[in-house]
Amino acid sequence: MKKPRSFLTISLMLLLIALVAGCAPKQWQPVTLKTEDICWPPGPGCKVSYAGEISQFEQTNESLATWITGKSQGGRILKPVAIAIGPGGKMAIADQDRQGIHLYDPANQSYQVIVMAGREKFQTPVGVAFDDAGNLYVTDSQLNKMLIFDAEANFLKAVDQAGGSPLQRPTGITFNRFDKRLYVSDTMQHQILVFSRLGEFIARIGARGDQPGSFNFPTHLSSDLQGNLYITDSMNFRAQILLAASNTWLMFGSHGNGSGDFASPKGIGVDQNGIIYIAETLFDNVQIFDNRGTYLLAVGSQGSEPGQFWMPSGLFIDENNRLYVCDTYNKRIQLFDLLTATAGEAVPRQGELKK
């Protein structure tokens, strides 16, 4: 028995759609949701404004499978621990449950999850950073390596040593736009390691201790346009700042459960006005300090509603003064617009932070 002509017509149409879908490049975008307006502090003195959240990436041009089933093949964020924004708005998110890096480029709306560095799989990605050319750097604390990718996400190199000694637990990473160097926390060595953008070892900073310039399990890092380095000195329960101009150290914070104290500090960043932001995992908030280390306010509380956190970790502040926070166990990135006024000098002055 002959098949109905309508059946043949539908079959040909589906085949044509499949061919077109296969040829067309997939376009993606982050799914950004904003359900309400929230400010800290509330009222006309607002300094931090909730801007939404990202929990997944999805295709903007539907594939054939999406057209037939109605289901997107989007990339869900499962356990984000670090985020970086690079040139042109490129976004990299270290996701430990995916054992990979979400990489999104808004210029061509491309998206992928990088799970391999050459022939080696990521195990526990902890830190991500872009340099000013768009090259991507990833630290993996289980592989004990820094992995380098070019601006097209092609794997270039793995770095597993510093001056002939193996990396022991690389965690935080930042590209310093002032001196064009990479700074990496080696948590188990209680040091900050300095590399060229090619992965060539340059220097070690610090040793274990509680004096200025010494560390006790350092983790997250950030830097500013003046070349100053910001370090979460986690088990000393403080933040340290290495001032580039004078090569001197400033520090603030202490162990406790009050405002401005630390219990488990993680991500650290500084905005364009010198205001410092630190994710406090056990308090489920982001604590904010002026450029002298004086506590200003906290953003967030425990929960899953907008502006609430469940063990936040890494954070990043982009050139537009937008704060991105890895809300790790809520499986999302929360976004905040920073409305801070100029805080005088963008760099803390020597002797003006608590020691």
Side-chain angles (χ1 to χ4, degrees):
M1 186 176 69
K2 293 184 179 180
K3 295 180 180 179
R5 181 174 295 180
S6 59
F7 177 85
L8 294 176
T9 302
I10 292 171
S11 299
L12 288 172
M13 288 179 62
L14 289 175
L15 177 61
L16 179 61
I17 292 170
L19 290 172
V20 172
C23 296
K26 295 179 180 179
Q27 294 182 325
W28 296 76
Q29 66 181 8
V31 180
T32 305
L33 301 175
K34 182 180 179 183
T35 56
E36 56 187 285
D37 294 322
I38 313 172
C39 267
W40 295 265
C46 175
K47 300 298 182 185
V48 180
S49 175
Y50 174 71
E53 67 177 62
I54 301 171
S55 59
Q56 68 174 328
F57 297 83
E58 69 176 10
Q59 289 179 237
T60 57
N61 54 338
E62 294 181 327
S63 66
L64 177 62
T66 303
W67 185 82
I68 294 173
T69 66
K71 295 180 181 179
S72 170
Q73 305 301 310
R76 291 193 174 276
I77 298 170
L78 299 181
K79 188 180 178 184
V81 296
I83 182 169
I85 307 299
K90 283 185 178 180
M91 179 184 296
I93 302 169
D95 188 329
Q96 291 188 350
D97 274 3
R98 298 287 295 263
Q99 292 185 295
I101 308 299
H102 300 267
L103 182 61
Y104 173 68
D105 186 351
N108 53 23
Q109 292 185 289
S110 64
Y111 165 79
Q112 61 178 305
V113 178
I114 303 173
V115 296
M116 301 291 293
R119 296 182 178 181
E120 192 168 37
K121 289 184 178 181
F122 283 114
Q123 297 297 320
T124 309
V126 177
V128 287
F130 289 102
D131 67 15
D132 51 9
N135 299 309
L136 174 65
Y137 304 84
V138 181
T139 54
D140 190 305
S141 64
Q142 189 169 335
L143 294 178
N144 290 323
K145 294 178 180 180
M146 174 177 67
L147 297 313
I148 305 176
F149 299 80
D150 69 15
E152 283 72 48
N154 299 305
F155 176 67
L156 297 178
K157 184 178 183 180
V159 177
D160 61 0
Q161 294 193 350
S165 299
L167 305 187
Q168 293 188 25
R169 186 175 292 173
T171 52
I173 184 170
T174 185
F175 175 74
N176 191 316
R177 288 171 289 176
F178 183 80
D179 63 13
K180 310 299 182 184
R181 294 176 173 180
L182 291 160
Y183 292 77
V184 177
S185 292
D186 192 316
T187 299
M188 296 304 293
Q189 294 195 73
H190 311 283
Q191 292 181 325
I192 308 302
L193 307 177
V194 188
F195 297 90
S196 75
R197 68 171 78 209
L198 300 177
E200 302 160 329
F201 175 67
I202 296 173
R204 297 176 183 272
I205 301 173
R208 191 170 193 179
D210 59 5
Q211 298 302 305
S214 297
F215 308 105
N216 192 17
F217 297 98
T219 55
H220 297 70
L221 300 174
S222 184
S223 54
D224 63 23
L225 291 174
Q226 290 74 39
N228 303 302
L229 183 66
Y230 299 77
I231 303 160
T232 301
D233 189 4
S234 65
M235 295 307 293
N236 279 326
F237 305 101
R238 66 187 181 185
Q240 293 204 64
I241 306 171
L242 175 57
L243 300 181
S246 58
N247 197 36
T248 55
W249 291 91
L250 301 174
M251 54 190 183
F252 64 93
S254 59
H255 191 205
N257 59 7
S259 298
D261 292 336
F262 296 121
S264 182
K266 291 202 173 181
I268 188 168
V270 58
D271 71 16
Q272 294 178 2
N273 299 308
I275 306 299
I276 302 164
Y277 301 76
I278 299 176
E280 175 43 71
T281 297
L282 293 185
F283 299 163
D284 295 301
N285 65 18
V286 175
Q287 299 201 76
I288 304 176
F289 304 83
D290 72 12
N291 58 6
R292 296 167 176 82
T294 302
Y295 173 79
L296 298 176
L297 75 154
V299 170
S301 59
Q302 201 282 325
S304 59
E305 297 299 316
Q308 295 182 328
F309 300 102
W310 186 7
M311 300 187 75
S313 51
L315 59 78
F316 189 88
I317 300 167
D318 71 12
E319 60 185 11
N320 297 313
N321 246 21
R322 171 161 282 188
L323 170 65
Y324 302 75
V325 182
C326 294
D327 188 3
T328 302
Y329 286 92
N330 280 324
K331 303 181 180 183
R332 63 186 180 182
I333 306 296
Q334 293 207 64
L335 317 177
F336 303 87
D337 290 326
L338 306 178
L339 312 174
T340 53
T342 301
E345 295 179 82
V347 180
R349 294 181 295 189
Q350 187 172 357
E352 291 190 345
L353 300 192
K354 293 183 286 184
K355 296 187 176 181

